[in-house]
Amino acid sequence: MIDLRQLREDPDRVRASQRARGEDVALVDALLSADERRRSSGVRFDELRAEQKQLGKQIPKATGDEKAELLKRAEQLKADVKAADAERDAADTETQELLLRLGNLVHPDVPVGGEEDFVTLETHGTIRDFGAEGFTPKDHLELGQLLGAIDVERGAKVSGSRFYFLTGVGALLELALVNAAIAQATAAGFTPMLTPALVRPQSMAGTGFLGQAAQDVYHLDKDDLYLVGTSEVPLAAYHMDEIIDADRLPLRYAGFSPCFRREAGSHGKDTRGIFRVHQFDKVEMFSYVRPEDSQAEHQRLLEWEKQWLTSLELPFRVIDVASGDLGSSAARKFDCEAWIPTQGKYRELTSTSDCTEFQSRRLSIRLRDGKQVKPLATLNGTLCAVPRTIVAILENHQQADGSVRVPEVLRPYLGGREVLEPVSR
């Protein structure tokens, strides 16, 4: 959540942020009104309680009519204090509910607009000209079937649409990707983490995934637990309700976990193969830093993502995501999109978000710097979302005979194998 003090001091900035996100600007004024009622009712309650305490000291000393009047006033005060307390609690509850609905403040450099209004910051690698090489590229599913690596038919039989099996060399390729990604993250100073896939409501809400993203979340009603769509959730909640000494920062974690997404609203999109699925594995980077260091850390996370995609020898571009396409917790987000030959376009493989103090306020995570205790900043960045990365590798590194060249960075994790060969020609 944002800082209420910042809202009071500069409501126009918050209105502009909501407008840039394409969200309800009236929410800002409703929140200002609720906050004013919360503060005024709190003052009223404190004044009445002070009078009540003072009266409590006077009554034992009074006699006769004076005591009767004081007792009468005490009864009235008791009712007034109860009413003021209820009014304060109601205003506080309304303030908190409205505050949780408000997105993070959009960074001033973020391009304003919808999904297609991003700005391309840089491009890397060379897009292959398959025509010049003399063959038409196969898509990842056809390649995966030739290699005995992907089985979507049995995935659908067992679990339904958008589920799949990685088989044989496909399973080995996932393990190679995960091990290589964790090796890079560990070398960069991240602590490897295996995280829970089920979390409590406060963990999911605290990271901002029960707002605009709630329709994509799986919920287990019987246990009131949520299946995470990313290990960002347990990694953010890992230090929930804690105070961290400033000299321990930055804290950097690399989480590996299964991820679950309902893909609500994606009917008809990417239905072929394993690009958009309900369950997948991912290596996620997560950082806790001082608020003043968050922008620099955001660039570091982006550099690590670029290093990873470059090591996989993939052509990709980096985009500055537009304001209307940001998640509620992100102040700014960069995506790395790899070229997918058979689609003829770039598609998202990784993203990194600067969430500033938004999540730490909701999760009550603070840093202690001398005598000062204040919220810290959190950031997240995909290192390897496995299925989409497999899609990009198969399509970009395929050869005319249906085999796939293995990027050098993965070879040590595949027993030195240089090429993935079709199971049968």
Side-chain angles (χ1 to χ4, degrees):
M1 63 183 72
I2 69 168
D3 186 352
L4 269 175
R5 188 167 40 188
Q6 192 172 21
L7 172 69
R8 296 183 208 114
E9 293 173 354
D10 194 0
D12 285 342
R13 184 187 172 194
V14 184
R15 292 187 186 99
S17 177
Q18 284 289 97
R19 195 173 296 113
R21 286 180 174 277
E23 296 178 2
D24 187 8
V25 178
L27 179 61
V28 178
D29 293 308
L31 180 53
L32 283 168
S33 176
D35 180 51
E36 175 56 35
R37 292 196 305 276
R38 179 184 68 87
R39 290 189 295 152
S40 61
S41 61
V43 170
R44 170 74 172 154
F45 174 80
D46 291 341
E47 290 174 345
L48 289 170
R49 281 289 291 139
E51 184 181 352
Q52 192 178 42
K53 289 179 181 178
Q54 188 63 33
L55 202 63
K57 296 177 182 177
Q58 295 175 1
I59 290 174
K61 301 175 184 178
T63 58
D65 290 344
E66 180 186 8
K67 187 167 187 174
E69 285 295 320
L70 291 175
L71 287 170
K72 183 179 179 181
R73 175 60 182 154
E75 281 299 311
Q76 182 60 50
L77 270 176
K78 182 178 179 181
D80 291 346
V81 166
K82 185 176 180 181
D85 189 28
E87 183 181 351
R88 181 188 61 174
D89 287 349
D92 184 61
T93 298
E94 183 181 358
T95 299
Q96 291 303 313
E97 288 176 350
L98 291 171
L99 191 56
L100 287 172
R101 289 169 52 192
L102 201 64
N104 199 357
L105 293 181
V106 175
H107 189 280
D109 291 341
V110 169
V112 175
E115 184 178 355
E116 299 303 319
D117 296 309
F118 61 84
V119 171
T120 300
L121 300 177
E122 51 192 276
T123 59
H124 297 264
T126 302
I127 295 173
R128 285 175 65 185
D129 184 347
F130 286 94
E133 295 181 32
F135 73 100
T136 301
K138 300 177 176 63
D139 76 7
H140 74 277
L141 183 56
E142 186 177 356
L143 289 164
Q145 291 170 337
L146 284 172
L147 298 169
I150 301 171
D151 191 336
V152 294
E153 291 182 358
R154 290 186 175 89
K157 178 181 71 174
V158 171
S159 303
S161 63
R162 299 192 191 274
F163 287 93
Y164 60 97
F165 285 87
L166 290 181
T167 58
V169 75
L172 294 177
L173 184 55
E174 158 149 352
L175 295 173
L177 283 165
V178 171
N179 278 289
I182 289 292
Q184 178 189 303
T186 304
F190 286 79
T191 300
M193 303 275 276
L194 298 177
T195 62
L198 289 166
V199 298
R200 292 175 170 174
Q202 56 265 45
S203 299
M204 191 67 83
T207 42
F209 283 91
L210 293 186
Q212 65 187 121
Q215 63 174 355
D216 252 353
V217 176
Y218 285 104
H219 182 228
L220 280 65
D221 292 326
K222 186 174 181 180
D223 304 287
D224 197 18
L225 292 171
Y226 290 90
L227 282 165
V228 299
T230 166
S231 60
E232 172 192 343
V233 176
L235 290 174
Y238 185 65
H239 289 295
M240 181 168 53
D241 299 322
E242 295 181 19
I243 298 175
I244 300 170
D245 288 333
D247 59 9
R248 292 182 60 199
L249 300 177
L251 288 173
R252 297 187 178 109
Y253 301 117
F256 172 65
S257 75
C259 306
F260 303 87
R261 299 183 184 181
R262 295 182 62 241
E263 292 295 345
S266 67
H267 179 74
K269 295 181 181 178
D270 300 307
T271 55
R272 179 173 169 81
I274 62 171
F275 190 85
R276 190 184 298 272
V277 291
H278 289 309
Q279 177 183 341
F280 60 96
D281 295 326
K282 180 157 69 87
V283 177
E284 181 83 2
M285 300 178 289
F286 197 89
S287 299
Y288 295 85
V289 302
R290 293 173 180 266
E292 60 269 25
D293 295 335
S294 72
Q295 291 185 51
E297 184 72 3
H298 199 196
Q299 290 296 327
R300 291 188 195 98
L301 290 171
L302 178 59
E303 288 301 318
W304 282 315
E305 291 180 343
K306 289 158 56 179
Q307 176 188 337
W308 171 245
L309 296 179
T310 299
S311 75
L312 295 176
E313 304 168 46
L314 297 173
F316 68 96
R317 71 180 179 186
V318 180
I319 67 169
D320 198 348
V321 176
S323 56
D325 200 27
L326 294 174
S328 64
S329 60
R332 192 174 193 182
K333 182 168 78 163
F334 302 124
D335 282 357
C336 291
E337 300 182 328
W339 179 256
I340 307 299
T342 61
Q343 296 185 21
K345 57 185 175 181
Y346 290 99
R347 301 299 303 273
E348 178 195 336
L349 247 61
T350 74
S351 67
T352 176
S353 298
D354 181 359
C355 297
T356 61
E357 302 165 29
F358 187 82
Q359 292 177 330
S360 69
R361 289 182 183 278
R362 296 163 74 104
L363 293 165
S364 189
I365 308 169
R366 294 166 291 167
L367 68 87
R368 179 185 286 109
D369 191 0
K371 294 183 178 180
Q372 187 180 26
V373 175
K374 60 181 182 179
L376 44 68
T378 61
L379 302 95
N380 62 81
T382 313
L383 190 53
C384 181
V386 173
R388 290 192 176 195
T389 306
I390 289 177
V391 169
I393 288 173
L394 295 185
E395 293 209 11
N396 281 284
H397 296 316
Q398 64 180 291
Q399 302 181 104
D401 62 356
S403 63
V404 175
R405 188 179 64 82
V406 177
E408 287 189 20
V409 70
L410 298 180
R411 293 175 187 176
Y413 304 98
L414 284 166
R417 193 177 321 199
E418 297 181 5
V419 177
L420 306 181
E421 299 283 357
V423 173
S424 59
R425 296 187 184 275

